């Protein structure tokens, strides 16, 4: 195995259901344009409140993917 | 839109079910006494263990709300 | 109540379902070998992505337990 | 001088002009309802962008004030 | 036990004697106006120096208390 | 409103005038190549000194923008 | 002196008297089961409040000890 | 000198030899696709262990480069 | 260019006008006694409030300067 | 693959040669008593100076290993 | 009151008695060579263990003092 | 052994070779003007890139030395 390089991109996934759903929504969007996505790391969990109820979750993530040889 | 000021209060919501439920329980209690609640940010996720099982989740949050003009 | 001492051990629980399931899996493993487990604190939430989907969640935790008198 | 106690409240001041203006707007709102305000400490500087331009600054602050004897 | 919510308030207790005395002075002031105070966590230890000697200790604390049902 | 995903890019804006000017210069450059820029968050404020005077300000920022559907 | 390896264990010592007493109680418990204890580093100072008074101090510590050759 | 803007990209360089080699491998990959690379800052040093030996080093870096005028 | 060493000194500059003015006042004082001052990094922004208004800004900075050969 | 649990132990490896050597010395000692060691993460790099020269490097690490089923 | 500048020096005070004694010992040493010492802030509390007992406390502090006009 | 006080100075050592070389260069410069240098702690590892290659390493360090009695 050669000495690979990975790139990390930072995103915020959202969901009106759960933290896990926000993670999956964000990852689902990243893999549409980036290949070799390998791992994620949650950096923050926030959310909005509307009329006294949690309206949606916002989960910040660092997402790592392997760079192909240029 | 005038230059609004927001206040941030710190709470711990609890639940014996899930992290999201602890968030909703905490927010539900705050909105009983505070108006214009706008957002939250999770600061820590802890929990208690009783007889070898997770007894409940404790989710620390900063909760932001808009201050009305005094 | 005498002046008790607690010990903290750090683990990573995993699950292909949810953050809470990863927490319960990790705690379930710790209580097999450690007594008097009392609390946990999440230190990081990560995960792996396989073929464009979240494959499993990895939840880092500090787990506290009371030490018996030696 | 007796052993005083201080309380710290967390706010977000906003302004469409500058960081200093957001600080002064936030402090100006706090002193309408709290007495003996003594110091502040900036915890974050954020802002919103609207149609490609900075629309306003949001400055998070911890604001300290002396508590009177109860 | 229902799903309780806790509130966290931030204070600075002071004393010209010791860190523990500053903690007790601050807690003693909080309990005059807040009920169900449950725990504290030290966030910073500072102090003032006057004519070459430590004049007093300033101990920042987060203080947690249980909210009653509204 | 569907479950949007946001991307965060990190930049350093510079100015020989002020912190706010460095923020506006950096945002102004980002919006030339990125659409739907929504918010920024200052991560560090640095600067260079030349012949005993502040030569320019360097303001690190995270800049968030909404991703369009792929 | 060969290239030694040290291990770090994390504990919480408690005392109803003082921070130093909580440190000594915790260290006193560790040395009952671990040899070559060398240093400690305080990671947090917390405490419980009972009926309006500080009931006891909880001092988190990392405790370092030299590992013997296996 | 006009008011330049810099962009920061986050990568992980790897090597089975040393930390410096992992840094150089990562930088070497970035400069294949990005111009005007100017500085780097190490954010974490990790590694994998295989059959009891360090198999390779993983060095996280923020890499800064000057943006050309759009 | 030989392998230079830089020293970092920590100061607090103050101003009753603005953050930038506090930075320039602090740097202006450092260069009276230190040569080869090269860069600064803001570590905190605080301030005092007097009679309900911001009385002055206190800006903590790390200031770097090149050491001459001894 | 079942839902594995990993444990993290914290050590300090030392060497009079290099950071990498201190890492390898520490890992080499851990694998004498722990099985399934998988990864490490550097938490701090320190060292001692003796008679004006670096005497040895001390590298703090978190070391992760897979727990076998109990 | 003109726009004063303060300098911050970092020290470690030690004592075989208590945290407060280590603070006072450190401050007592600083004021022998520095004038206008104004405040301190504890940055870490460590200690050494000798033959199973706490041998002495090491308290890291940032110490602030006003700079005279040059 | 009396209650010694230590002072901490912050420097940046540089080298075009390695992290360890930058540490040794920095320590070598400090001991030319300061006595009783005892330990160092790395605070950051940065570097410059020139024409696509790592030009030199910049290692920030806190360096501790014992103060003699005044």
């Amino acid at each position: 195995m050669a000495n690979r390089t990975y790139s990390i991109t930072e995103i915020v996934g959202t969901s009106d259901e759960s933290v896990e759903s926000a993670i999956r929504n964000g990852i689902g969007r990243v893999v549409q344009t980036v290949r070799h996505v390998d791992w994620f790391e949650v950096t923050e969990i926030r959310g909005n409140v509307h009329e006294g109820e949690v309206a949606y979750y916002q989960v910040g993530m660092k997402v790592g993917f392997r760079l192909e040889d240029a």
Side-chain angles (χ1 to χ4, degrees), chain A residues 6-30:
Chain A
Y6 298 82
S7 185
I8 294 173
T9 186
E10 194 165 355
I11 64 165
V12 181
T14 66
S15 163
D16 53 7
E17 278 177 46
S18 67
V19 169
E20 286 84 353
S21 177
I23 292 171
R24 285 192 304 260
N25 287 345
I27 296 292
R29 179 62 186 78
V30 169

PDB file of all heavy atoms in Angstrom, chain A residues 6-30:
ATOM      1  N   TYR A   6      -5.286  11.791   2.286  1.00  0.00           N
ATOM      2  CA  TYR A   6      -6.729  11.956   2.454  1.00  0.00           C
ATOM      3  C   TYR A   6      -7.049  13.437   2.536  1.00  0.00           C
ATOM      4  O   TYR A   6      -6.240  14.232   3.017  1.00  0.00           O
ATOM      5  CB  TYR A   6      -7.189  11.254   3.737  1.00  0.00           C
ATOM      6  CG  TYR A   6      -6.930   9.778   3.703  1.00  0.00           C
ATOM      7  CD1 TYR A   6      -5.676   9.267   4.013  1.00  0.00           C
ATOM      8  CD2 TYR A   6      -7.920   8.889   3.320  1.00  0.00           C
ATOM      9  CE1 TYR A   6      -5.415   7.909   3.955  1.00  0.00           C
ATOM     10  CE2 TYR A   6      -7.679   7.523   3.264  1.00  0.00           C
ATOM     11  CZ  TYR A   6      -6.420   7.047   3.571  1.00  0.00           C
ATOM     12  OH  TYR A   6      -6.169   5.705   3.505  1.00  0.00           O
ATOM     13  N   SER A   7      -8.232  13.797   2.086  1.00  0.00           N
ATOM     14  CA  SER A   7      -8.692  15.174   2.197  1.00  0.00           C
ATOM     15  C   SER A   7      -9.896  15.199   3.134  1.00  0.00           C
ATOM     16  O   SER A   7     -10.659  14.229   3.203  1.00  0.00           O
ATOM     17  CB  SER A   7      -9.080  15.712   0.824  1.00  0.00           C
ATOM     18  OG  SER A   7      -9.428  17.073   0.910  1.00  0.00           O
ATOM     19  N   ILE A   8     -10.040  16.292   3.872  1.00  0.00           N
ATOM     20  CA  ILE A   8     -11.146  16.424   4.815  1.00  0.00           C
ATOM     21  C   ILE A   8     -11.987  17.617   4.403  1.00  0.00           C
ATOM     22  O   ILE A   8     -11.461  18.726   4.238  1.00  0.00           O
ATOM     23  CB  ILE A   8     -10.609  16.610   6.246  1.00  0.00           C
ATOM     24  CG1 ILE A   8      -9.881  15.336   6.690  1.00  0.00           C
ATOM     25  CG2 ILE A   8     -11.738  16.948   7.206  1.00  0.00           C
ATOM     26  CD1 ILE A   8      -9.162  15.470   8.011  1.00  0.00           C
ATOM     27  N   THR A   9     -13.288  17.387   4.221  1.00  0.00           N
ATOM     28  CA  THR A   9     -14.192  18.492   3.904  1.00  0.00           C
ATOM     29  C   THR A   9     -15.183  18.635   5.056  1.00  0.00           C
ATOM     30  O   THR A   9     -15.541  17.659   5.707  1.00  0.00           O
ATOM     31  CB  THR A   9     -14.921  18.236   2.573  1.00  0.00           C
ATOM     32  OG1 THR A   9     -15.673  19.393   2.226  1.00  0.00           O
ATOM     33  CG2 THR A   9     -15.863  17.056   2.650  1.00  0.00           C
ATOM     34  N   GLU A  10     -15.599  19.875   5.318  1.00  0.00           N
ATOM     35  CA  GLU A  10     -16.475  20.116   6.460  1.00  0.00           C
ATOM     36  C   GLU A  10     -17.876  20.466   5.952  1.00  0.00           C
ATOM     37  O   GLU A  10     -18.034  21.327   5.087  1.00  0.00           O
ATOM     38  CB  GLU A  10     -15.897  21.268   7.306  1.00  0.00           C
ATOM     39  CG  GLU A  10     -16.538  21.365   8.667  1.00  0.00           C
ATOM     40  CD  GLU A  10     -15.740  22.231   9.631  1.00  0.00           C
ATOM     41  OE1 GLU A  10     -14.633  22.682   9.264  1.00  0.00           O
ATOM     42  OE2 GLU A  10     -16.233  22.461  10.744  1.00  0.00           O
ATOM     43  N   ILE A  11     -18.889  19.774   6.497  1.00  0.00           N
ATOM     44  CA  ILE A  11     -20.263  20.022   6.067  1.00  0.00           C
ATOM     45  C   ILE A  11     -21.191  20.126   7.274  1.00  0.00           C
ATOM     46  O   ILE A  11     -20.813  19.817   8.400  1.00  0.00           O
ATOM     47  CB  ILE A  11     -20.785  18.890   5.149  1.00  0.00           C
ATOM     48  CG1 ILE A  11     -20.844  17.558   5.912  1.00  0.00           C
ATOM     49  CG2 ILE A  11     -19.952  18.768   3.900  1.00  0.00           C
ATOM     50  CD1 ILE A  11     -21.663  16.483   5.208  1.00  0.00           C
ATOM     51  N   VAL A  12     -22.421  20.561   7.011  1.00  0.00           N
ATOM     52  CA  VAL A  12     -23.494  20.529   8.005  1.00  0.00           C
ATOM     53  C   VAL A  12     -24.668  19.805   7.376  1.00  0.00           C
ATOM     54  O   VAL A  12     -25.252  20.282   6.397  1.00  0.00           O
ATOM     55  CB  VAL A  12     -23.926  21.950   8.431  1.00  0.00           C
ATOM     56  CG1 VAL A  12     -25.037  21.865   9.482  1.00  0.00           C
ATOM     57  CG2 VAL A  12     -22.749  22.741   8.968  1.00  0.00           C
ATOM     58  N   GLY A  13     -25.007  18.640   7.908  1.00  0.00           N
ATOM     59  CA  GLY A  13     -26.193  17.915   7.473  1.00  0.00           C
ATOM     60  C   GLY A  13     -27.376  18.284   8.342  1.00  0.00           C
ATOM     61  O   GLY A  13     -27.204  18.598   9.513  1.00  0.00           O
ATOM     62  N   THR A  14     -28.584  18.268   7.758  1.00  0.00           N
ATOM     63  CA  THR A  14     -29.767  18.650   8.544  1.00  0.00           C
ATOM     64  C   THR A  14     -30.857  17.599   8.412  1.00  0.00           C
ATOM     65  O   THR A  14     -30.915  16.841   7.439  1.00  0.00           O
ATOM     66  CB  THR A  14     -30.334  20.003   8.083  1.00  0.00           C
ATOM     67  OG1 THR A  14     -30.835  19.860   6.742  1.00  0.00           O
ATOM     68  CG2 THR A  14     -29.279  21.085   8.111  1.00  0.00           C
ATOM     69  N   SER A  15     -31.727  17.585   9.426  1.00  0.00           N
ATOM     70  CA  SER A  15     -32.861  16.661   9.429  1.00  0.00           C
ATOM     71  C   SER A  15     -33.883  17.153  10.438  1.00  0.00           C
ATOM     72  O   SER A  15     -33.514  17.717  11.468  1.00  0.00           O
ATOM     73  CB  SER A  15     -32.411  15.249   9.817  1.00  0.00           C
ATOM     74  OG  SER A  15     -33.518  14.454  10.190  1.00  0.00           O
ATOM     75  N   ASP A  16     -35.157  16.931  10.157  1.00  0.00           N
ATOM     76  CA  ASP A  16     -36.175  17.247  11.155  1.00  0.00           C
ATOM     77  C   ASP A  16     -36.501  16.027  12.024  1.00  0.00           C
ATOM     78  O   ASP A  16     -37.417  16.073  12.838  1.00  0.00           O
ATOM     79  CB  ASP A  16     -37.449  17.792  10.499  1.00  0.00           C
ATOM     80  CG  ASP A  16     -37.970  16.864   9.413  1.00  0.00           C
ATOM     81  OD1 ASP A  16     -37.430  15.750   9.266  1.00  0.00           O
ATOM     82  OD2 ASP A  16     -38.905  17.266   8.700  1.00  0.00           O
ATOM     83  N   GLU A  17     -35.705  14.968  11.898  1.00  0.00           N
ATOM     84  CA  GLU A  17     -36.009  13.737  12.634  1.00  0.00           C
ATOM     85  C   GLU A  17     -35.041  13.413  13.771  1.00  0.00           C
ATOM     86  O   GLU A  17     -35.456  13.220  14.914  1.00  0.00           O
ATOM     87  CB  GLU A  17     -35.998  12.556  11.664  1.00  0.00           C
ATOM     88  CG  GLU A  17     -37.271  12.383  10.882  1.00  0.00           C
ATOM     89  CD  GLU A  17     -37.136  11.252   9.907  1.00  0.00           C
ATOM     90  OE1 GLU A  17     -36.637  10.180  10.308  1.00  0.00           O
ATOM     91  OE2 GLU A  17     -37.503  11.447   8.731  1.00  0.00           O
ATOM     92  N   SER A  18     -33.744  13.300  13.411  1.00  0.00           N
ATOM     93  CA  SER A  18     -32.793  12.811  14.411  1.00  0.00           C
ATOM     94  C   SER A  18     -31.379  13.212  14.008  1.00  0.00           C
ATOM     95  O   SER A  18     -31.126  13.640  12.876  1.00  0.00           O
ATOM     96  CB  SER A  18     -32.857  11.283  14.520  1.00  0.00           C
ATOM     97  OG  SER A  18     -32.392  10.694  13.315  1.00  0.00           O
ATOM     98  N   VAL A  19     -30.453  13.057  14.957  1.00  0.00           N
ATOM     99  CA  VAL A  19     -29.040  13.325  14.706  1.00  0.00           C
ATOM    100  C   VAL A  19     -28.521  12.372  13.630  1.00  0.00           C
ATOM    101  O   VAL A  19     -27.822  12.792  12.696  1.00  0.00           O
ATOM    102  CB  VAL A  19     -28.248  13.172  16.023  1.00  0.00           C
ATOM    103  CG1 VAL A  19     -26.747  13.181  15.777  1.00  0.00           C
ATOM    104  CG2 VAL A  19     -28.630  14.276  17.004  1.00  0.00           C
ATOM    105  N   GLU A  20     -28.871  11.094  13.735  1.00  0.00           N
ATOM    106  CA  GLU A  20     -28.375  10.118  12.770  1.00  0.00           C
ATOM    107  C   GLU A  20     -28.900  10.429  11.367  1.00  0.00           C
ATOM    108  O   GLU A  20     -28.188  10.266  10.370  1.00  0.00           O
ATOM    109  CB  GLU A  20     -28.805   8.696  13.161  1.00  0.00           C
ATOM    110  CG  GLU A  20     -28.058   8.121  14.335  1.00  0.00           C
ATOM    111  CD  GLU A  20     -28.662   8.565  15.665  1.00  0.00           C
ATOM    112  OE1 GLU A  20     -29.586   9.419  15.665  1.00  0.00           O
ATOM    113  OE2 GLU A  20     -28.235   8.038  16.710  1.00  0.00           O
ATOM    114  N   SER A  21     -30.129  10.864  11.284  1.00  0.00           N
ATOM    115  CA  SER A  21     -30.705  11.196   9.987  1.00  0.00           C
ATOM    116  C   SER A  21     -29.977  12.406   9.365  1.00  0.00           C
ATOM    117  O   SER A  21     -29.730  12.437   8.152  1.00  0.00           O
ATOM    118  CB  SER A  21     -32.202  11.491  10.143  1.00  0.00           C
ATOM    119  OG  SER A  21     -32.767  11.872   8.922  1.00  0.00           O
ATOM    120  N   ALA A  22     -29.609  13.378  10.206  1.00  0.00           N
ATOM    121  CA  ALA A  22     -28.854  14.533   9.701  1.00  0.00           C
ATOM    122  C   ALA A  22     -27.482  14.096   9.203  1.00  0.00           C
ATOM    123  O   ALA A  22     -26.987  14.594   8.182  1.00  0.00           O
ATOM    124  CB  ALA A  22     -28.721  15.596  10.796  1.00  0.00           C
ATOM    125  N   ILE A  23     -26.858  13.145   9.914  1.00  0.00           N
ATOM    126  CA  ILE A  23     -25.559  12.616   9.467  1.00  0.00           C
ATOM    127  C   ILE A  23     -25.719  11.939   8.111  1.00  0.00           C
ATOM    128  O   ILE A  23     -24.972  12.210   7.162  1.00  0.00           O
ATOM    129  CB  ILE A  23     -24.989  11.623  10.514  1.00  0.00           C
ATOM    130  CG1 ILE A  23     -24.598  12.348  11.798  1.00  0.00           C
ATOM    131  CG2 ILE A  23     -23.796  10.856   9.938  1.00  0.00           C
ATOM    132  CD1 ILE A  23     -24.220  11.419  12.953  1.00  0.00           C
ATOM    133  N   ARG A  24     -26.714  11.070   8.002  1.00  0.00           N
ATOM    134  CA  ARG A  24     -26.900  10.335   6.745  1.00  0.00           C
ATOM    135  C   ARG A  24     -27.270  11.258   5.594  1.00  0.00           C
ATOM    136  O   ARG A  24     -26.816  11.082   4.455  1.00  0.00           O
ATOM    137  CB  ARG A  24     -27.967   9.245   6.921  1.00  0.00           C
ATOM    138  CG  ARG A  24     -27.454   8.048   7.714  1.00  0.00           C
ATOM    139  CD  ARG A  24     -28.411   6.872   7.633  1.00  0.00           C
ATOM    140  NE  ARG A  24     -29.737   7.248   8.089  1.00  0.00           N
ATOM    141  CZ  ARG A  24     -30.223   6.987   9.308  1.00  0.00           C
ATOM    142  NH1 ARG A  24     -29.494   6.340  10.191  1.00  0.00           N
ATOM    143  NH2 ARG A  24     -31.432   7.367   9.631  1.00  0.00           N
ATOM    144  N   ASN A  25     -28.076  12.292   5.860  1.00  0.00           N
ATOM    145  CA  ASN A  25     -28.417  13.248   4.796  1.00  0.00           C
ATOM    146  C   ASN A  25     -27.164  13.974   4.291  1.00  0.00           C
ATOM    147  O   ASN A  25     -26.987  14.159   3.083  1.00  0.00           O
ATOM    148  CB  ASN A  25     -29.432  14.278   5.303  1.00  0.00           C
ATOM    149  CG  ASN A  25     -30.820  13.684   5.460  1.00  0.00           C
ATOM    150  OD1 ASN A  25     -31.113  12.604   4.940  1.00  0.00           O
ATOM    151  ND2 ASN A  25     -31.684  14.369   6.201  1.00  0.00           N
ATOM    152  N   GLY A  26     -26.311  14.399   5.234  1.00  0.00           N
ATOM    153  CA  GLY A  26     -25.105  15.106   4.832  1.00  0.00           C
ATOM    154  C   GLY A  26     -24.151  14.208   4.055  1.00  0.00           C
ATOM    155  O   GLY A  26     -23.632  14.595   2.999  1.00  0.00           O
ATOM    156  N   ILE A  27     -23.932  12.994   4.563  1.00  0.00           N
ATOM    157  CA  ILE A  27     -23.042  12.053   3.866  1.00  0.00           C
ATOM    158  C   ILE A  27     -23.619  11.735   2.481  1.00  0.00           C
ATOM    159  O   ILE A  27     -22.878  11.683   1.481  1.00  0.00           O
ATOM    160  CB  ILE A  27     -22.868  10.753   4.695  1.00  0.00           C
ATOM    161  CG1 ILE A  27     -22.165  11.038   6.020  1.00  0.00           C
ATOM    162  CG2 ILE A  27     -22.119   9.682   3.886  1.00  0.00           C
ATOM    163  CD1 ILE A  27     -20.716  11.452   5.905  1.00  0.00           C
ATOM    164  N   GLY A  28     -24.928  11.559   2.419  1.00  0.00           N
ATOM    165  CA  GLY A  28     -25.581  11.241   1.143  1.00  0.00           C
ATOM    166  C   GLY A  28     -25.351  12.321   0.097  1.00  0.00           C
ATOM    167  O   GLY A  28     -25.222  12.031  -1.103  1.00  0.00           O
ATOM    168  N   ARG A  29     -25.290  13.576   0.545  1.00  0.00           N
ATOM    169  CA  ARG A  29     -25.029  14.678  -0.384  1.00  0.00           C
ATOM    170  C   ARG A  29     -23.566  14.714  -0.807  1.00  0.00           C
ATOM    171  O   ARG A  29     -23.256  14.958  -1.984  1.00  0.00           O
ATOM    172  CB  ARG A  29     -25.425  16.000   0.261  1.00  0.00           C
ATOM    173  CG  ARG A  29     -25.181  17.234  -0.576  1.00  0.00           C
ATOM    174  CD  ARG A  29     -25.994  17.219  -1.858  1.00  0.00           C
ATOM    175  NE  ARG A  29     -25.653  18.351  -2.725  1.00  0.00           N
ATOM    176  CZ  ARG A  29     -24.566  18.406  -3.491  1.00  0.00           C
ATOM    177  NH1 ARG A  29     -23.700  17.411  -3.489  1.00  0.00           N
ATOM    178  NH2 ARG A  29     -24.354  19.461  -4.256  1.00  0.00           N
ATOM    179  N   VAL A  30     -22.657  14.449   0.105  1.00  0.00           N
ATOM    180  CA  VAL A  30     -21.225  14.499  -0.219  1.00  0.00           C
ATOM    181  C   VAL A  30     -20.862  13.434  -1.246  1.00  0.00           C
ATOM    182  O   VAL A  30     -20.109  13.703  -2.192  1.00  0.00           O
ATOM    183  CB  VAL A  30     -20.376  14.323   1.058  1.00  0.00           C
ATOM    184  CG1 VAL A  30     -18.901  14.096   0.715  1.00  0.00           C
ATOM    185  CG2 VAL A  30     -20.508  15.547   1.955  1.00  0.00           C
TER     186      VAL A  30
END
